[in-house]
């Protein structure tokens, strides 16, 4: 089926700013609370949010096999489970309906009042109920940098790293949408030179510049997903700030990997941009040497050119961009990750989320974490307000943005923005 929604020549009768992340070619999916306090599934064109539940009730999706309540839900899981054919039919229909040349909704004032919202009238929610969350470690530059800092140059990349996409199972309970603040975590750390640990606030709170993909129902227990089919089961992507406490992580991670240093919070951008919308921005992944085992070998362009950036905004001050990276730097691509994840028969469900791991580029200004940017605290990063950062301070806001752009079409993710608060104070809780 063709993806007519991607037609680069199409314009919308809704206003779209020239540098908007959300032209009519994007049509992402999200969940929001409307001005009437009703939760619904929606999309966005420019700065207008569109209530898909209301559009469906008004008959604008007639002819597409959808259950009556598919968009009147508080998560996208059931819609995602309908599969790629349905996602395409719905995106294509939305695209036709908001095309400059289509007057059916444009000239219906009453229906427009029902389905269209300004962004300040809605509140974005988590787009899916994330059942399981896995985080990979797919950037060679990041794995090498962290390996040098934790184990030295000789043992930077572990012997398995070039042969499989290393990952771990995280917690979905602490995945939150953009805008929700995060408390500095407390935990055990081993101070430099000490022989026994102490308990207290993490001193090294960090961000991880990542993206994450959301899957549909993919396989049954025992059934691997072949690599050539893997992308059919990927609904779309979000920006992902995988908050990390480096001092807690360093003490706890041996031998089973990340635990409390990672699972206190991870923030995502609220609009899921479909893999279909990103189709025009495919690029090659970095050359893999040695060649991976057969079940991880792939054909074609399996990465996407998505420009990424991370900023720190101190309280009451301007933000400073501290990193500019790109999704295409990932050594292991999403198809390889999903094929590897299921090769033992592990089932993947609708709404599962897989993080890329920190995406660092080859240059010092493209590192995707403060751990690398400050080289474990040996260097300071200047802020526009005259202060410096090695890690994240209380009341700093971390903002991540990402977009693809080619031949005048820009498809973006908006932002994921969250503030770090001081440690949780039980006396302040009412
Ligand atoms: Mn991570």
């Amino acid at each position: 089926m063709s993806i007519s929604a991607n037609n680069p020549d199409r314009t919308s009768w809704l206003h779209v700013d020239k540098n908007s992340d959300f032209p009519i070619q994007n049509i992402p999916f999200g969940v929001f609370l409307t001005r009437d306090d009703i939760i619904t599934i929606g999309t966005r064109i420019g700065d207008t949010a569109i209530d898909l539940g209301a559009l469906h009730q008004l008959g604008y999706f007639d002819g597409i096999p959808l259950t009556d309540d598919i968009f009147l839900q508080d998560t996208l899981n059931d819609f995602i489970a309908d599969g790629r054919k349905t996602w395409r039919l719905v995106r294509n229909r939305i695209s036709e309906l908001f095309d400059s040349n289509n007057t059916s909704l444009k000239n219906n004032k009453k229906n427009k009042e029902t389905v269209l919202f300004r962004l300040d009238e809605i509140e974005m929610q988590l787009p899916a109920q994330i059942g399981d969350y896995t985080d990979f470690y797919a950037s060679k530059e990041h794995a090498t940098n962290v390996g040098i800092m934790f184990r030295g140059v000789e043992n930077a990349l572990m012997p398995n790293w070039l042969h499989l996409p290393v990952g771990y199972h995280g917690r979905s309970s602490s995945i939150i949408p953009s805008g929700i603040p995060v408390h500095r975590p407390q935990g055990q750390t081993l101070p430099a030179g000490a022989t026994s640990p102490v308990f207290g606030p993490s001193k090294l709170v960090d961000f991880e510049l990542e993206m994450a993909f959301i899957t549909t129902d993919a396989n049954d227990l025992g059934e691997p997903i072949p690599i050539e089919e893997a992308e059919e089961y990927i609904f779309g992507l979000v920006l992902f700030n995988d908050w990390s406490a480096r001092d807690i992580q360093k003490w706890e991670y041996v031998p089973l990997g990340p635990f409390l240093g990672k699972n206190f919070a991870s923030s995502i951008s609220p609009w899921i941009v479909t893999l279909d919308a990103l189709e025009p921005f495919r690029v090659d992944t970095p050359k893999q040497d040695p060649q991976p085992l057969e079940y991880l070998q792939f054909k074609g362009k399996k990465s996407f050119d998505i420009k990424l950036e991370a900023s720190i905004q101190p309280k009451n001050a301007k933000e400073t961009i501290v990193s500019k990276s790109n999704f295409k730097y990932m050594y292991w691509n999403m198809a390889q990750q999903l094929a590897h994840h299921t090769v033992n028969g592990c089932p993947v469900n609708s709404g599962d989320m897989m993080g890329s791991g920190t995406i660092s580029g080859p240059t010092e200004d493209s590192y995707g974490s403060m751990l690398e940017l400050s080289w474990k605290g040996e260097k300071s990063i200047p802020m526009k307000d005259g202060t410096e950062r090695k890690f994240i301070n209380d009341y700093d806001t971390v903002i991540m943005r990402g977009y693809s752009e080619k031949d005048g079409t820009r498809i973006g993710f908006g932002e994921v923005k969250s503030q770090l608060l001081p440690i949780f104070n039980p006396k302040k809780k009412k």
Side-chain angles (χ1 to χ4, degrees):
M1 187 197 313
S2 79
I3 314 174
S4 61
N6 286 2
N7 175 3
D9 299 325
R10 196 190 293 269
T11 55
S12 175
W13 51 264
L14 285 169
H15 174 77
V16 180
D17 281 335
K18 192 170 167 287
N19 283 326
S20 174
D21 281 351
F22 302 97
I24 193 170
Q25 289 79 11
N26 191 335
I27 312 188
F29 293 93
V31 172
F32 57 80
L33 212 53
T34 70
R35 60 192 164 221
D36 308 313
D37 253 2
I38 291 167
I39 201 156
T40 187
I41 287 170
T43 186
R44 170 176 176 174
I45 295 175
D47 287 340
T48 304
I50 300 161
D51 180 344
L52 296 182
L55 266 188
H56 190 22
Q57 282 183 317
L58 291 166
Y60 288 101
F61 292 116
D62 281 0
I64 300 177
L66 294 167
T67 54
D68 290 345
D69 63 347
I70 192 72
F71 297 127
L72 298 172
Q73 307 203 17
D74 52 12
T75 71
L76 276 158
N77 293 55
D78 286 354
F79 175 64
I80 295 173
D82 280 347
R84 191 163 74 169
K85 190 176 167 205
T86 305
W87 313 333
R88 285 190 178 167
L89 288 168
V90 167
R91 270 186 82 246
N92 288 349
R93 179 67 60 85
I94 294 168
S95 160
E96 286 162 25
L97 199 52
F98 290 91
D99 186 303
S100 296
N101 299 315
N102 188 330
T103 55
S104 63
L105 178 61
K106 184 185 178 187
N107 291 348
N108 189 326
K109 193 161 177 274
K110 188 163 164 285
N111 285 357
K112 274 200 298 189
E113 277 173 10
T114 310
V115 303
L116 303 183
F117 295 84
R118 294 193 316 269
L119 295 181
D120 61 8
E121 297 176 304
I122 64 164
E123 190 184 305
M124 296 304 297
Q125 311 289 304
L126 260 193
Q129 180 173 1
I130 299 159
D132 276 309
Y133 152 53
T134 299
D135 199 20
F136 285 96
Y137 194 47
S139 151
K140 188 178 176 186
E141 287 81 1
H142 172 70
T144 304
N145 288 338
V146 174
I148 291 170
M149 284 184 265
F150 279 42
R151 290 181 296 272
V153 177
E154 299 300 310
N155 303 303
L157 278 188
M158 297 300 264
N160 59 2
W161 200 93
L162 291 169
H163 297 280
L164 56 87
V166 169
Y168 73 97
H169 287 116
R171 286 280 301 177
S172 48
S173 64
S174 53
I175 297 174
I176 48 177
S178 180
I180 307 280
V182 172
H183 283 285
R184 178 179 296 274
Q186 301 196 80
Q188 278 198 30
T189 59
L190 186 70
T195 50
S196 51
V198 297
F199 178 82
S202 166
K203 294 187 173 74
L204 309 180
V205 174
D206 198 357
F207 61 78
E208 291 191 329
L209 178 56
E210 303 195 23
M211 298 200 74
F213 65 88
I214 285 108
T215 64
T216 182
D217 284 321
N219 60 329
D220 293 325
L221 183 74
E223 179 194 333
I225 300 173
I227 192 161
E228 57 274 15
E229 287 174 26
E231 286 186 345
E232 287 176 34
Y233 301 105
I234 299 173
F235 176 62
L237 287 103
V238 292
L239 300 167
F240 185 51
N241 177 2
D242 192 18
W243 290 94
S244 300
R246 299 301 180 192
D247 41 0
I248 297 173
Q249 179 186 355
K250 190 178 181 186
W251 170 233
E252 74 176 0
Y253 90 107
V254 181
L256 289 186
F259 191 32
L260 303 180
K262 293 285 186 169
N263 69 5
F264 58 98
S266 304
S267 306
I268 65 172
S269 55
W271 294 105
I272 304 177
V273 175
T274 61
L275 208 58
D276 275 353
L278 294 167
E279 201 54 43
F281 309 101
R282 282 187 181 273
V283 288
D284 287 322
T285 30
K287 185 174 161 33
Q288 296 185 325
D289 182 22
Q291 187 181 48
L293 293 173
E294 199 175 342
Y295 77 97
L296 291 171
Q297 291 173 14
F298 62 93
K299 292 193 184 71
K301 295 184 191 309
K302 287 281 183 258
S303 194
F304 297 86
D305 182 0
I306 305 171
K307 295 171 183 66
L308 300 171
E309 65 173 49
S311 303
I312 297 173
Q313 183 179 24
K315 195 179 183 183
N316 301 323
K318 286 209 174 86
E319 63 177 279
T320 302
I321 296 172
V322 294
S323 175
K324 282 181 181 257
S325 187
N326 196 305
F327 187 70
K328 70 182 179 188
Y329 294 141
M330 270 168 59
Y331 187 86
W332 296 101
N333 59 59
M334 294 183 284
Q336 289 179 312
Q337 290 171 346
L338 200 48
H340 182 67
H341 204 314
T342 58
V343 76
N344 65 347
C346 171
V348 166
N349 297 309
S350 175
D352 283 359
M353 201 177 98
M354 318 257 167
S356 57
T358 306
I359 304 169
S360 293
T363 55
E364 284 185 20
D365 58 354
S366 62
Y367 294 168
S369 65
M370 292 301 281
L371 178 68
E372 296 161 271
L373 290 163
S374 76
W375 206 256
K376 63 180 173 184
E378 288 171 9
K379 287 188 285 190
S380 292
I381 311 297
M383 298 285 109
K384 281 184 183 161
D385 69 353
T387 61
E388 294 180 331
R389 292 292 180 282
K390 292 176 173 174
F391 290 89
I392 306 301
N393 288 1
D394 288 349
Y395 302 108
D396 284 352
T397 298
V398 174
I399 308 160
M400 293 175 182
R401 300 187 180 88
Y403 67 93
S404 296
E405 194 162 33
K406 192 181 175 188
D407 303 330
T409 302
R410 171 176 168 137
I411 301 288
F413 291 79
E415 61 185 27
V416 54
K417 178 175 183 175
S418 28
Q419 189 179 38
L420 183 68
L421 298 177
I423 59 165
F424 176 74
N425 179 351
K427 285 179 194 143
K428 279 191 180 169
K429 193 176 181 182
K430 285 174 190 160

